[in-house]
């Protein structure tokens, strides 16, 4: 076992009032995040997407194995975008008309979603997030990634928060199933598509479902 190499923590101390102010301010920013399904064609520069993915990649991960891969697909890849939309809509049409159990469709009803996914071609960016259940050492041996799904979930949360904080809208899209993304995006078969994040500016007068978040007392208990 190797001895760990340690380095000083670059912690920025903040006084207690400022901690309180930041906690509240961040909450009011995040409260305004909504899933947007109606996008404008306005462009988003590639560097913004890069910065947000760089933020996602700062997430903690089991044993620091960073079991994620992000594929960002701009609108100039119009052929690829069309293929992603076609495959997603094919799966989603099956899902909405045959595969989804009734309870699932009932849970989705307040959102007003259906199999049509025009945003997959309209929004300036798609970010496909993959989970890598294992990595490869230089000698080719497989290394298991511990808590891979949890780690990628946290990284995706960072990504959504970073994009929202920057002033962009996102849609967390999970075409069901989404194995077609491996082939279209040239990712190895052992990587699992986690979700497809749609990124851009909302269309003018975009509407969102009138749904509520659970009150804090229902989701939080102190002991
Ligand atoms: C893991 C996950 C998968 C989701 N999949 C879809 C999806 O495939 N299509 C969609 O329209 N919304 C999808 N959503 C968005 C949810 O419907 C949305 O987050 C929820 O209704 C709450 O709305 P809000 O994000 O505006 O607060 C998904 C969200 C999560 C976290």
């Amino acid at each position: 076992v190797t001895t760990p190499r340690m380095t000083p923590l670059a912690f920025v101390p903040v006084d207690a009032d400022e901690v309180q102010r930041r906690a509240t301010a961040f909450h009011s920013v995040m409260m305004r995040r909504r899933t947007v399904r109606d996008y404008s064609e306005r462009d988003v520069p590639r560097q913004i997407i890069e910065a947000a993915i760089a933020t996602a990649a700062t997430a903690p991960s089991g044993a620091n194995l960073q079991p994620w891969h992000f594929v960002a697909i701009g609108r100039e890849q119009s052929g690829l975008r069309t293929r992603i939309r076609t495959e997603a809509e094919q799966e989603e049409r099956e899902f909405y008309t045959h595969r989804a159990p009734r309870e699932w469709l009932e849970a989705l009803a307040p959102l007003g979603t259906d199999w049509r996914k025009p945003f997959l071609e309209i929004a300036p960016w798609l970010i496909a997030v993959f989970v890598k259940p294992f990595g490869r050492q230089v000698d080719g041996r497989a290394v298991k990634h511990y808590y891979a799904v949890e780690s990628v979930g946290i990284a995706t949360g960072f990504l959504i928060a970073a994009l929202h904080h920057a002033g962009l809208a996102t849609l967390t899209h999970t075409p069901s199933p989404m194995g077609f993304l491996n082939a279209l995006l040239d990712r190895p078969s052992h990587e699992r598509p986690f979700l497809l994040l749609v990124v851009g500016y909302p269309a003018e007068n975009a509407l969102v479902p009138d749904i509520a978040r659970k009150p804090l007392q229902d989701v939080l208990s102190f002991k």
Side-chain angles (χ1 to χ4, degrees):
V1 177
T2 49
T3 315
R5 206 153 41 86
M6 305 302 274
T7 183
L9 170 67
F11 186 77
V12 181
V14 173
D15 73 52
D17 285 350
E18 179 62 8
V19 172
Q20 175 66 63
R21 197 197 63 74
R22 288 191 195 180
T24 314
F26 192 61
H27 174 230
S28 45
V29 170
M30 294 308 290
M31 238 175 29
R32 289 194 299 273
R33 184 207 56 78
R34 288 301 311 272
T35 292
V36 170
R37 298 178 179 85
D38 195 6
Y39 284 85
S40 107
E41 292 191 355
R42 185 173 162 193
D43 275 333
V44 171
R46 177 193 174 113
Q47 301 87 286
I48 295 173
I49 299 303
E50 243 169 44
I53 294 174
T55 299
T58 67
S61 63
N64 192 35
L65 292 167
Q66 304 166 56
W68 40 66
H69 188 85
F70 303 91
V71 182
I73 311 132
R75 215 184 2 228
E76 69 276 15
Q77 296 289 327
S78 62
L80 182 55
R81 286 297 203 92
T82 304
R83 274 184 286 156
I84 292 174
R85 177 180 177 182
T86 305
E87 297 257 9
E89 288 188 333
Q90 206 165 300
E91 296 293 5
E92 291 283 276
R93 198 199 294 254
E94 266 299 298
F95 173 84
Y96 277 94
T97 54
H98 301 297
R99 268 200 306 258
R102 194 162 46 83
E103 304 81 64
W104 196 336
L105 292 176
E106 276 166 16
L108 289 173
L111 307 180
T113 52
D114 61 25
W115 61 269
R116 291 180 202 87
K117 308 294 167 192
F119 46 75
L120 292 176
E121 288 185 283
I122 295 170
W125 291 95
L126 305 179
I127 304 173
V129 183
F130 287 85
V131 180
K132 297 160 72 113
F134 58 88
R136 291 256 176 235
Q137 282 182 332
V138 269
D139 61 7
R141 266 187 305 145
V143 193
K144 182 177 159 47
H145 286 160
Y146 302 100
Y147 297 110
V149 173
E150 291 83 345
S151 304
V152 176
I154 294 169
T156 304
F158 277 31
L159 179 59
I160 293 169
L163 291 163
H164 171 70
H165 182 257
L168 294 170
T170 61
L171 160 62
T172 311
H173 184 34
T174 42
S176 172
M178 51 185 156
F180 65 86
L181 289 173
N182 290 70
L184 290 184
L185 302 176
D186 300 320
R187 298 309 303 166
S189 60
H190 72 274
E191 287 187 9
R192 193 157 75 68
F194 187 64
L195 50 80
L196 192 56
L197 202 66
V198 181
V199 184
Y201 289 96
E204 227 172 287
N205 309 318
L207 298 175
V208 290
D210 186 8
I211 51 178
R213 296 190 170 122
K214 292 180 180 173
L216 195 58
Q217 66 267 24
D218 290 8
V219 299
L220 165 68
S221 39
F222 282 105
K223 289 282 185 239

